Amino acid sequence: MSDLLGRLRGRGWRMTSQRRVVAEVLDGDHVHLTADEVHLRAAARLPEISRATVYNTLGELVALGEVLEVSTVGRAKRYDPNARNPHQHLVCSGCGTVRDVHPVGNAIGDLPEEERFGFAVGSVEITYRGLCPGCA
Amino acid sequence: MSDLLGRLRGRGWRMTSQRRVVAEVLDGDHVHLTADEVHLRAAARLPEISRATVYNTLGELVALGEVLEVSTVGRAKRYDPNARNPHQHLVCSGCGTVRDVHPVGNAIGDLPEEERFGFAVGSVEITYRGLCPGCA
DNA sequence: ATCCTACGATGGACTTCGTCCAAGTCAAGA
DNA sequence: TCTTGACTTGGACGAAGTCCATCGTAGGAT
């Protein structure tokens, strides 16, 4: 993530203060913010930034593959900047905390041909659920 | 699913025409309706049924473990009545269609101890993504 | 069979999350 | 520095879902 700005510039992204701030907010490991949290933190540095811009920028980062959308049942989407490091998620059923994890094995390979129904399977998302030490 | 009504009655559910209709709509394999679709189909049989009742009933069925919520990024939740038969999902990135699938292997076992961060991991959800034959 | 009452249904307002759009602004190449 | 088209803005809009006061009724009690 540290050189995200450089990579984006290399892809012809017009660099604006808004985009810089959003990218800076999405920095680090185990960061899983909602769009609203991103907006809140971005607004701390750039008070007049609009919600629409945050949504636009997050959408572009997702399209560029720099950020992943994490689906959390029933809640707002979360954005995970750790897209360049393939990983899965471990979610606490109590408090909703999310950790990045790295299971071994090949989950796509585990899906038999006759279970694919002609789909071109491109990716797999795995979500482990359980109680974190604090909630147990 | 066929004896869902009996099981529910056995748990002390008050049986109403609305609940019966919702339960009947959620019948069969590979059924993954959104709340709105459930409402639409229920209303075909019971025109005055309200959206709130459909949401309430779906929520109760989920709480009772008779129905699963399937999270689909960016779209409405879908409800899967096949909860008693453990399975995973294959989702079309184009049209959102969902199929039940049964991967081989042991996904929970694939998560190394040092990647569990002290969590008591109880379940795992796997979502395969790709394009269905129609969308490819 | 009928009566009672607590549980369930209703529908409309409200909230949350997200998208769209027309107008204004500005990064960066000429 | 000038120009221009890409970017930002904020408010309206929309979809999905929740809440709540009120009404209706399933099913036990009589």
Side-chain angles (χ1 to χ4, degrees):
Chain A
M1 192 68 187
S2 43
D3 199 25
L4 172 59
L5 293 177
R7 285 201 304 279
L8 294 176
R9 221 184 305 257
R11 299 206 208 182
W13 239 38
R14 178 181 287 188
M15 190 50 56
T16 66
S17 53
Q18 292 84 350
R19 288 178 167 183
R20 190 192 332 279
V21 165
V22 168
E24 284 171 2
V25 164
L26 283 174
D27 199 2
D29 286 351
H30 296 299
V31 170
H32 304 90
L33 300 171
T34 64
D36 222 49
E37 288 164 349
V38 172
H39 180 224
L40 214 68
R41 298 190 186 199
R45 305 193 192 188
L46 195 65
E48 60 286 344
I49 192 171
S50 82
R51 262 175 8 103
T53 298
V54 171
Y55 276 105
N56 288 342
T57 306
L58 288 172
E60 285 155 13
L61 288 170
V62 169
L64 289 172
E66 293 289 351
V67 166
L68 291 178
E69 279 183 3
V70 182
S71 68
T72 54
V73 177
R75 300 248 123 249
K77 287 182 219 173
R78 291 180 176 276
Y79 292 88
D80 180 345
N82 207 7
R84 297 167 63 77
N85 169 19
H87 62 278
Q88 305 297 340
H89 292 112
L90 170 57
V91 179
C92 175
S93 314
C95 59
T97 305
V98 180
R99 307 280 325 209
D100 292 348
V101 296
H102 303 82
V104 301
N106 168 15
I108 289 193
D110 284 349
L111 187 63
E113 192 52 40
E114 69 273 17
E115 288 270 328
R116 298 193 180 201
F117 302 101
F119 279 55
V121 179
S123 67
V124 57
E125 265 166 45
I126 306 180
T127 305
Y128 294 90
R129 296 191 185 279
L131 287 176
C132 73
C135 290
Chain B
M1 192 67 188
S2 43
D3 200 26
L4 172 60
L5 294 176
R7 285 201 303 280
L8 294 175
R9 223 185 302 260
R11 299 206 208 181
W13 238 39
R14 178 182 287 189
M15 189 52 55
T16 67
S17 54
Q18 292 84 352
R19 287 178 167 183
R20 190 193 329 279
V21 165
V22 170
E24 283 170 2
V25 165
L26 283 173
D27 199 2
D29 285 351
H30 295 299
V31 171
H32 303 91
L33 301 171
T34 63
D36 222 49
E37 288 164 349
V38 172
H39 180 225
L40 215 67
R41 299 190 184 199
R45 306 193 192 189
L46 197 66
E48 59 287 343
I49 193 171
S50 81
R51 262 172 13 98
T53 298
V54 171
Y55 276 106
N56 288 343
T57 306
L58 288 173
E60 285 155 12
L61 288 170
V62 169
L64 290 172
E66 295 287 350
V67 166
L68 291 179
E69 278 183 3
V70 181
S71 69
T72 55
V73 176
R75 298 167 184 269
K77 286 183 219 172
R78 292 179 176 273
Y79 292 88
D80 180 347
N82 206 8
R84 297 164 66 77
N85 167 22
H87 61 277
Q88 305 298 339
H89 292 111
L90 170 57
V91 179
C92 175
S93 314
C95 60
T97 307
V98 180
R99 307 276 330 205
D100 291 351
V101 295
H102 302 82
V104 301
N106 169 15
I108 290 192
D110 284 350
L111 188 62
E113 191 54 39
E114 69 273 17
E115 287 271 328
R116 300 194 179 201
F117 301 100
F119 279 55
V121 179
S123 67
V124 57
E125 268 165 42
I126 306 180
T127 305
Y128 294 90
R129 298 192 185 277
L131 287 176
C132 74
C135 290

